Amino acid sequence: MSTFRQRAAKHAQSVRAFWRRQIPYLVLLSFLAAFTVVFFHDRIIVSIHPGELGVLWRRLGGGTVIDTVYREGLHLVLPVNRMYVYDVRKQRFTDTINALTVDGLTVQVQYSVRYFLSGDSLPLLHQRVGEDFVEVVIRPEIRSVIRSVFGQYKPEEIYTAQKAIQERVSELSKVQLEARFIALDEVPIESIMLPPRITEAIEAKMALQQLEQEYAYRLVIAGKEAERKRIESDGLKLYNNTVNQSLTPSILRWYGIQATQDLAHSPNSKVVVIGAGNSGLPIILGKD
């Protein structure tokens, strides 16, 4: 029994001696663990905020994870891996470029781009384009489309076709960016600046067109007024002809007798009748 206890005591002493020898290593390991947590905490504990999505890249697990998009919340990631966080809300930027018209004149175009990232295609965007997708894809594609569209118009046509130009730019840009895994909302054209002499020429031409339209309008009004007067004149002529045909000498004498009787009975009138006129009616010489 005493022999067993002695062996046990020796074994315990050897174990304690072993752990005492391991203390420096344990301290070093703890220090390394603490250093790793402190130094890589932002890569180990990843917070994805509202309006954001994450794409995981695994150093030892095949690279970019294509079939999984990490949603909002807290995620634990191994230090050897990395989580890329993207803002998937609608975003906007403004740019200005010079474009050539069909006849080689330069116009300055200021435009905006409203876009957002789709969660379904976000891993492919990260893998094939990367985080700098605005400078790599969006800006070059939009500029190319704007130059292509403006190259189909003359300067004087741009003024009257701005709505059609904007719709065409937005339509073509959507097609181009969808192929690059980016969803486009719209490309509003903010302003279009032509060379001063071209602007003055277009404005002068438009003023002449407005003046021509005004003259044409006046001619239409004058024609309608002439037609109205002709119709009025024809009506008066028809009326006079009808009256002349209906007024016989007998009827005129009867109307004259009636008028004379009305004047004779009027309390405010005094008449003197002397003889008769050629028509046989009394002649009125005076009244009060």
mmCIF file with all atom_site columns, all heavy atoms in Angstrom, residues 12 23 27 30 49 58 67 80 88 99 116 122 130 152 163 205 240 252 255:
data_model
loop_
_atom_site.group_PDB
_atom_site.id
_atom_site.type_symbol
_atom_site.label_atom_id
_atom_site.label_alt_id
_atom_site.label_comp_id
_atom_site.label_asym_id
_atom_site.label_entity_id
_atom_site.label_seq_id
_atom_site.pdbx_PDB_ins_code
_atom_site.Cartn_x
_atom_site.Cartn_y
_atom_site.Cartn_z
_atom_site.occupancy
_atom_site.B_iso_or_equiv
_atom_site.pdbx_formal_charge
_atom_site.auth_seq_id
_atom_site.auth_comp_id
_atom_site.auth_asym_id
_atom_site.auth_atom_id
_atom_site.pdbx_PDB_model_num
ATOM 1   N N   . ALA A 1 12  ? 2.313   12.239  -9.514  1.00 0.00 ? 12  ALA A N   1
ATOM 2   C CA  . ALA A 1 12  ? 1.757   13.596  -9.380  1.00 0.00 ? 12  ALA A CA  1
ATOM 3   C C   . ALA A 1 12  ? 2.858   14.625  -9.461  1.00 0.00 ? 12  ALA A C   1
ATOM 4   O O   . ALA A 1 12  ? 2.679   15.706  -10.075 1.00 0.00 ? 12  ALA A O   1
ATOM 5   C CB  . ALA A 1 12  ? 1.001   13.719  -8.064  1.00 0.00 ? 12  ALA A CB  1
ATOM 6   N N   . ILE A 1 23  ? 4.505   25.949  -18.672 1.00 0.00 ? 23  ILE A N   1
ATOM 7   C CA  . ILE A 1 23  ? 3.940   27.286  -18.388 1.00 0.00 ? 23  ILE A CA  1
ATOM 8   C C   . ILE A 1 23  ? 4.436   28.340  -19.371 1.00 0.00 ? 23  ILE A C   1
ATOM 9   O O   . ILE A 1 23  ? 3.628   29.140  -19.902 1.00 0.00 ? 23  ILE A O   1
ATOM 10  C CB  . ILE A 1 23  ? 4.255   27.680  -16.925 1.00 0.00 ? 23  ILE A CB  1
ATOM 11  C CG1 . ILE A 1 23  ? 3.368   26.856  -15.987 1.00 0.00 ? 23  ILE A CG1 1
ATOM 12  C CG2 . ILE A 1 23  ? 4.007   29.175  -16.708 1.00 0.00 ? 23  ILE A CG2 1
ATOM 13  C CD1 . ILE A 1 23  ? 3.665   27.117  -14.511 1.00 0.00 ? 23  ILE A CD1 1
ATOM 14  N N   . VAL A 1 27  ? 1.842   30.417  -21.669 1.00 0.00 ? 27  VAL A N   1
ATOM 15  C CA  . VAL A 1 27  ? 1.774   31.884  -21.645 1.00 0.00 ? 27  VAL A CA  1
ATOM 16  C C   . VAL A 1 27  ? 1.952   32.440  -23.061 1.00 0.00 ? 27  VAL A C   1
ATOM 17  O O   . VAL A 1 27  ? 1.218   33.356  -23.495 1.00 0.00 ? 27  VAL A O   1
ATOM 18  C CB  . VAL A 1 27  ? 2.842   32.437  -20.690 1.00 0.00 ? 27  VAL A CB  1
ATOM 19  C CG1 . VAL A 1 27  ? 2.920   33.967  -20.815 1.00 0.00 ? 27  VAL A CG1 1
ATOM 20  C CG2 . VAL A 1 27  ? 2.525   32.038  -19.263 1.00 0.00 ? 27  VAL A CG2 1
ATOM 21  N N   . SER A 1 30  ? -1.176  31.723  -25.057 1.00 0.00 ? 30  SER A N   1
ATOM 22  C CA  . SER A 1 30  ? -2.251  32.639  -24.663 1.00 0.00 ? 30  SER A CA  1
ATOM 23  C C   . SER A 1 30  ? -2.018  34.039  -25.227 1.00 0.00 ? 30  SER A C   1
ATOM 24  O O   . SER A 1 30  ? -2.947  34.701  -25.691 1.00 0.00 ? 30  SER A O   1
ATOM 25  C CB  . SER A 1 30  ? -2.351  32.708  -23.131 1.00 0.00 ? 30  SER A CB  1
ATOM 26  O OG  . SER A 1 30  ? -2.641  31.426  -22.603 1.00 0.00 ? 30  SER A OG  1
ATOM 27  N N   . HIS A 1 49  ? -24.453 45.558  -41.479 1.00 0.00 ? 49  HIS A N   1
ATOM 28  C CA  . HIS A 1 49  ? -25.458 46.522  -41.063 1.00 0.00 ? 49  HIS A CA  1
ATOM 29  C C   . HIS A 1 49  ? -26.637 46.561  -42.040 1.00 0.00 ? 49  HIS A C   1
ATOM 30  O O   . HIS A 1 49  ? -26.584 45.968  -43.119 1.00 0.00 ? 49  HIS A O   1
ATOM 31  C CB  . HIS A 1 49  ? -24.817 47.911  -40.933 1.00 0.00 ? 49  HIS A CB  1
ATOM 32  C CG  . HIS A 1 49  ? -23.706 47.958  -39.937 1.00 0.00 ? 49  HIS A CG  1
ATOM 33  N ND1 . HIS A 1 49  ? -22.376 47.777  -40.280 1.00 0.00 ? 49  HIS A ND1 1
ATOM 34  C CD2 . HIS A 1 49  ? -23.719 48.146  -38.592 1.00 0.00 ? 49  HIS A CD2 1
ATOM 35  C CE1 . HIS A 1 49  ? -21.619 47.876  -39.213 1.00 0.00 ? 49  HIS A CE1 1
ATOM 36  N NE2 . HIS A 1 49  ? -22.403 48.096  -38.159 1.00 0.00 ? 49  HIS A NE2 1
ATOM 37  N N   . ARG A 1 58  ? -12.853 32.317  -48.924 1.00 0.00 ? 58  ARG A N   1
ATOM 38  C CA  . ARG A 1 58  ? -12.159 31.307  -48.107 1.00 0.00 ? 58  ARG A CA  1
ATOM 39  C C   . ARG A 1 58  ? -10.792 31.023  -48.706 1.00 0.00 ? 58  ARG A C   1
ATOM 40  O O   . ARG A 1 58  ? -10.674 30.595  -49.855 1.00 0.00 ? 58  ARG A O   1
ATOM 41  C CB  . ARG A 1 58  ? -12.983 30.015  -48.052 1.00 0.00 ? 58  ARG A CB  1
ATOM 42  C CG  . ARG A 1 58  ? -14.288 30.159  -47.274 1.00 0.00 ? 58  ARG A CG  1
ATOM 43  C CD  . ARG A 1 58  ? -15.111 28.898  -47.370 1.00 0.00 ? 58  ARG A CD  1
ATOM 44  N NE  . ARG A 1 58  ? -16.330 28.997  -46.560 1.00 0.00 ? 58  ARG A NE  1
ATOM 45  C CZ  . ARG A 1 58  ? -17.335 28.121  -46.630 1.00 0.00 ? 58  ARG A CZ  1
ATOM 46  N NH1 . ARG A 1 58  ? -17.265 27.086  -47.478 1.00 0.00 ? 58  ARG A NH1 1
ATOM 47  N NH2 . ARG A 1 58  ? -18.395 28.281  -45.862 1.00 0.00 ? 58  ARG A NH2 1
ATOM 48  N N   . ASP A 1 67  ? -22.494 30.517  -53.855 1.00 0.00 ? 67  ASP A N   1
ATOM 49  C CA  . ASP A 1 67  ? -23.890 30.133  -53.624 1.00 0.00 ? 67  ASP A CA  1
ATOM 50  C C   . ASP A 1 67  ? -24.472 30.678  -52.317 1.00 0.00 ? 67  ASP A C   1
ATOM 51  O O   . ASP A 1 67  ? -25.591 30.332  -51.960 1.00 0.00 ? 67  ASP A O   1
ATOM 52  C CB  . ASP A 1 67  ? -24.018 28.606  -53.625 1.00 0.00 ? 67  ASP A CB  1
ATOM 53  C CG  . ASP A 1 67  ? -23.099 27.945  -52.599 1.00 0.00 ? 67  ASP A CG  1
ATOM 54  O OD1 . ASP A 1 67  ? -22.283 28.658  -51.982 1.00 0.00 ? 67  ASP A OD1 1
ATOM 55  O OD2 . ASP A 1 67  ? -23.201 26.720  -52.419 1.00 0.00 ? 67  ASP A OD2 1
ATOM 56  N N   . VAL A 1 80  ? -8.215  33.275  -41.366 1.00 0.00 ? 80  VAL A N   1
ATOM 57  C CA  . VAL A 1 80  ? -7.606  33.068  -42.681 1.00 0.00 ? 80  VAL A CA  1
ATOM 58  C C   . VAL A 1 80  ? -8.577  33.434  -43.806 1.00 0.00 ? 80  VAL A C   1
ATOM 59  O O   . VAL A 1 80  ? -8.170  33.574  -44.961 1.00 0.00 ? 80  VAL A O   1
ATOM 60  C CB  . VAL A 1 80  ? -7.143  31.610  -42.838 1.00 0.00 ? 80  VAL A CB  1
ATOM 61  C CG1 . VAL A 1 80  ? -6.013  31.309  -41.862 1.00 0.00 ? 80  VAL A CG1 1
ATOM 62  C CG2 . VAL A 1 80  ? -8.298  30.647  -42.649 1.00 0.00 ? 80  VAL A CG2 1
ATOM 63  N N   . VAL A 1 88  ? -25.928 47.630  -50.642 1.00 0.00 ? 88  VAL A N   1
ATOM 64  C CA  . VAL A 1 88  ? -26.847 47.250  -51.715 1.00 0.00 ? 88  VAL A CA  1
ATOM 65  C C   . VAL A 1 88  ? -28.026 48.221  -51.828 1.00 0.00 ? 88  VAL A C   1
ATOM 66  O O   . VAL A 1 88  ? -28.982 47.952  -52.544 1.00 0.00 ? 88  VAL A O   1
ATOM 67  C CB  . VAL A 1 88  ? -27.366 45.812  -51.514 1.00 0.00 ? 88  VAL A CB  1
ATOM 68  C CG1 . VAL A 1 88  ? -26.232 44.822  -51.653 1.00 0.00 ? 88  VAL A CG1 1
ATOM 69  C CG2 . VAL A 1 88  ? -28.044 45.658  -50.159 1.00 0.00 ? 88  VAL A CG2 1
ATOM 70  N N   . ALA A 1 99  ? -18.931 64.775  -75.627 1.00 0.00 ? 99  ALA A N   1
ATOM 71  C CA  . ALA A 1 99  ? -19.353 63.836  -76.658 1.00 0.00 ? 99  ALA A CA  1
ATOM 72  C C   . ALA A 1 99  ? -19.410 64.554  -77.997 1.00 0.00 ? 99  ALA A C   1
ATOM 73  O O   . ALA A 1 99  ? -19.606 65.774  -78.060 1.00 0.00 ? 99  ALA A O   1
ATOM 74  C CB  . ALA A 1 99  ? -20.716 63.234  -76.320 1.00 0.00 ? 99  ALA A CB  1
ATOM 75  N N   . PHE A 1 116 ? -28.121 50.090  -58.129 1.00 0.00 ? 116 PHE A N   1
ATOM 76  C CA  . PHE A 1 116 ? -28.060 49.308  -56.900 1.00 0.00 ? 116 PHE A CA  1
ATOM 77  C C   . PHE A 1 116 ? -27.533 47.921  -57.236 1.00 0.00 ? 116 PHE A C   1
ATOM 78  O O   . PHE A 1 116 ? -27.528 47.504  -58.402 1.00 0.00 ? 116 PHE A O   1
ATOM 79  C CB  . PHE A 1 116 ? -29.435 49.226  -56.219 1.00 0.00 ? 116 PHE A CB  1
ATOM 80  C CG  . PHE A 1 116 ? -30.496 48.576  -57.062 1.00 0.00 ? 116 PHE A CG  1
ATOM 81  C CD1 . PHE A 1 116 ? -30.770 47.223  -56.946 1.00 0.00 ? 116 PHE A CD1 1
ATOM 82  C CD2 . PHE A 1 116 ? -31.226 49.324  -57.979 1.00 0.00 ? 116 PHE A CD2 1
ATOM 83  C CE1 . PHE A 1 116 ? -31.750 46.633  -57.722 1.00 0.00 ? 116 PHE A CE1 1
ATOM 84  C CE2 . PHE A 1 116 ? -32.206 48.749  -58.755 1.00 0.00 ? 116 PHE A CE2 1
ATOM 85  C CZ  . PHE A 1 116 ? -32.469 47.394  -58.634 1.00 0.00 ? 116 PHE A CZ  1
ATOM 86  N N   . LEU A 1 122 ? -24.488 39.252  -56.458 1.00 0.00 ? 122 LEU A N   1
ATOM 87  C CA  . LEU A 1 122 ? -23.399 39.929  -55.759 1.00 0.00 ? 122 LEU A CA  1
ATOM 88  C C   . LEU A 1 122 ? -22.113 39.095  -55.704 1.00 0.00 ? 122 LEU A C   1
ATOM 89  O O   . LEU A 1 122 ? -21.026 39.639  -55.953 1.00 0.00 ? 122 LEU A O   1
ATOM 90  C CB  . LEU A 1 122 ? -23.848 40.312  -54.349 1.00 0.00 ? 122 LEU A CB  1
ATOM 91  C CG  . LEU A 1 122 ? -22.880 41.168  -53.540 1.00 0.00 ? 122 LEU A CG  1
ATOM 92  C CD1 . LEU A 1 122 ? -22.595 42.484  -54.259 1.00 0.00 ? 122 LEU A CD1 1
ATOM 93  C CD2 . LEU A 1 122 ? -23.439 41.442  -52.147 1.00 0.00 ? 122 LEU A CD2 1
ATOM 94  N N   . GLY A 1 130 ? -15.080 42.985  -58.810 1.00 0.00 ? 130 GLY A N   1
ATOM 95  C CA  . GLY A 1 130 ? -14.389 43.462  -57.624 1.00 0.00 ? 130 GLY A CA  1
ATOM 96  C C   . GLY A 1 130 ? -15.083 44.641  -56.977 1.00 0.00 ? 130 GLY A C   1
ATOM 97  O O   . GLY A 1 130 ? -16.133 45.119  -57.423 1.00 0.00 ? 130 GLY A O   1
ATOM 98  N N   . GLN A 1 152 ? -25.342 60.097  -82.823 1.00 0.00 ? 152 GLN A N   1
ATOM 99  C CA  . GLN A 1 152 ? -26.366 59.870  -83.836 1.00 0.00 ? 152 GLN A CA  1
ATOM 100 C C   . GLN A 1 152 ? -27.214 61.105  -84.114 1.00 0.00 ? 152 GLN A C   1
ATOM 101 O O   . GLN A 1 152 ? -28.122 61.051  -84.938 1.00 0.00 ? 152 GLN A O   1
ATOM 102 C CB  . GLN A 1 152 ? -27.274 58.711  -83.393 1.00 0.00 ? 152 GLN A CB  1
ATOM 103 C CG  . GLN A 1 152 ? -26.529 57.410  -83.132 1.00 0.00 ? 152 GLN A CG  1
ATOM 104 C CD  . GLN A 1 152 ? -27.426 56.350  -82.528 1.00 0.00 ? 152 GLN A CD  1
ATOM 105 O OE1 . GLN A 1 152 ? -28.642 56.486  -82.494 1.00 0.00 ? 152 GLN A OE1 1
ATOM 106 N NE2 . GLN A 1 152 ? -26.823 55.266  -82.066 1.00 0.00 ? 152 GLN A NE2 1
ATOM 107 N N   . LYS A 1 163 ? -35.669 64.230  -74.458 1.00 0.00 ? 163 LYS A N   1
ATOM 108 C CA  . LYS A 1 163 ? -36.382 63.137  -73.788 1.00 0.00 ? 163 LYS A CA  1
ATOM 109 C C   . LYS A 1 163 ? -36.068 61.805  -74.438 1.00 0.00 ? 163 LYS A C   1
ATOM 110 O O   . LYS A 1 163 ? -35.808 60.800  -73.757 1.00 0.00 ? 163 LYS A O   1
ATOM 111 C CB  . LYS A 1 163 ? -37.886 63.405  -73.813 1.00 0.00 ? 163 LYS A CB  1
ATOM 112 C CG  . LYS A 1 163 ? -38.696 62.353  -73.070 1.00 0.00 ? 163 LYS A CG  1
ATOM 113 C CD  . LYS A 1 163 ? -40.173 62.703  -73.062 1.00 0.00 ? 163 LYS A CD  1
ATOM 114 C CE  . LYS A 1 163 ? -40.967 61.629  -72.311 1.00 0.00 ? 163 LYS A CE  1
ATOM 115 N NZ  . LYS A 1 163 ? -42.425 61.948  -72.319 1.00 0.00 ? 163 LYS A NZ  1
ATOM 116 N N   . LYS A 1 205 ? -32.599 80.220  -85.000 1.00 0.00 ? 205 LYS A N   1
ATOM 117 C CA  . LYS A 1 205 ? -33.457 79.417  -85.869 1.00 0.00 ? 205 LYS A CA  1
ATOM 118 C C   . LYS A 1 205 ? -34.792 79.112  -85.202 1.00 0.00 ? 205 LYS A C   1
ATOM 119 O O   . LYS A 1 205 ? -35.856 79.188  -85.831 1.00 0.00 ? 205 LYS A O   1
ATOM 120 C CB  . LYS A 1 205 ? -32.741 78.110  -86.228 1.00 0.00 ? 205 LYS A CB  1
ATOM 121 C CG  . LYS A 1 205 ? -33.534 77.200  -87.148 1.00 0.00 ? 205 LYS A CG  1
ATOM 122 C CD  . LYS A 1 205 ? -32.757 75.951  -87.493 1.00 0.00 ? 205 LYS A CD  1
ATOM 123 C CE  . LYS A 1 205 ? -33.577 75.023  -88.387 1.00 0.00 ? 205 LYS A CE  1
ATOM 124 N NZ  . LYS A 1 205 ? -32.821 73.787  -88.716 1.00 0.00 ? 205 LYS A NZ  1
ATOM 125 N N   . ASN A 1 240 ? -81.804 91.934  -96.847 1.00 0.00 ? 240 ASN A N   1
ATOM 126 C CA  . ASN A 1 240 ? -82.276 93.126  -97.559 1.00 0.00 ? 240 ASN A CA  1
ATOM 127 C C   . ASN A 1 240 ? -83.104 92.764  -98.785 1.00 0.00 ? 240 ASN A C   1
ATOM 128 O O   . ASN A 1 240 ? -84.112 93.413  -99.093 1.00 0.00 ? 240 ASN A O   1
ATOM 129 C CB  . ASN A 1 240 ? -81.090 93.995  -97.971 1.00 0.00 ? 240 ASN A CB  1
ATOM 130 C CG  . ASN A 1 240 ? -80.409 94.644  -96.771 1.00 0.00 ? 240 ASN A CG  1
ATOM 131 O OD1 . ASN A 1 240 ? -81.077 94.908  -95.765 1.00 0.00 ? 240 ASN A OD1 1
ATOM 132 N ND2 . ASN A 1 240 ? -79.120 94.905  -96.871 1.00 0.00 ? 240 ASN A ND2 1
ATOM 133 N N   . LEU A 1 252 ? -95.904 100.331 -97.451 1.00 0.00 ? 252 LEU A N   1
ATOM 134 C CA  . LEU A 1 252 ? -95.159 101.485 -96.971 1.00 0.00 ? 252 LEU A CA  1
ATOM 135 C C   . LEU A 1 252 ? -96.102 102.612 -96.584 1.00 0.00 ? 252 LEU A C   1
ATOM 136 O O   . LEU A 1 252 ? -95.900 103.308 -95.575 1.00 0.00 ? 252 LEU A O   1
ATOM 137 C CB  . LEU A 1 252 ? -94.178 101.958 -98.041 1.00 0.00 ? 252 LEU A CB  1
ATOM 138 C CG  . LEU A 1 252 ? -92.982 101.015 -98.303 1.00 0.00 ? 252 LEU A CG  1
ATOM 139 C CD1 . LEU A 1 252 ? -92.163 101.533 -99.473 1.00 0.00 ? 252 LEU A CD1 1
ATOM 140 C CD2 . LEU A 1 252 ? -92.126 100.888 -97.064 1.00 0.00 ? 252 LEU A CD2 1
ATOM 141 N N   . TYR A 1 255 ? -97.657 101.785 -93.239 1.00 0.00 ? 255 TYR A N   1
ATOM 142 C CA  . TYR A 1 255 ? -96.738 102.028 -92.115 1.00 0.00 ? 255 TYR A CA  1
ATOM 143 C C   . TYR A 1 255 ? -96.611 103.526 -91.853 1.00 0.00 ? 255 TYR A C   1
ATOM 144 O O   . TYR A 1 255 ? -96.497 103.976 -90.712 1.00 0.00 ? 255 TYR A O   1
ATOM 145 C CB  . TYR A 1 255 ? -95.354 101.425 -92.396 1.00 0.00 ? 255 TYR A CB  1
ATOM 146 C CG  . TYR A 1 255 ? -95.251 99.965  -92.058 1.00 0.00 ? 255 TYR A CG  1
ATOM 147 C CD1 . TYR A 1 255 ? -94.975 99.017  -93.036 1.00 0.00 ? 255 TYR A CD1 1
ATOM 148 C CD2 . TYR A 1 255 ? -95.402 99.527  -90.736 1.00 0.00 ? 255 TYR A CD2 1
ATOM 149 C CE1 . TYR A 1 255 ? -94.882 97.675  -92.742 1.00 0.00 ? 255 TYR A CE1 1
ATOM 150 C CE2 . TYR A 1 255 ? -95.304 98.190  -90.429 1.00 0.00 ? 255 TYR A CE2 1
ATOM 151 C CZ  . TYR A 1 255 ? -95.056 97.256  -91.425 1.00 0.00 ? 255 TYR A CZ  1
ATOM 152 O OH  . TYR A 1 255 ? -94.957 95.933  -91.119 1.00 0.00 ? 255 TYR A OH  1
#
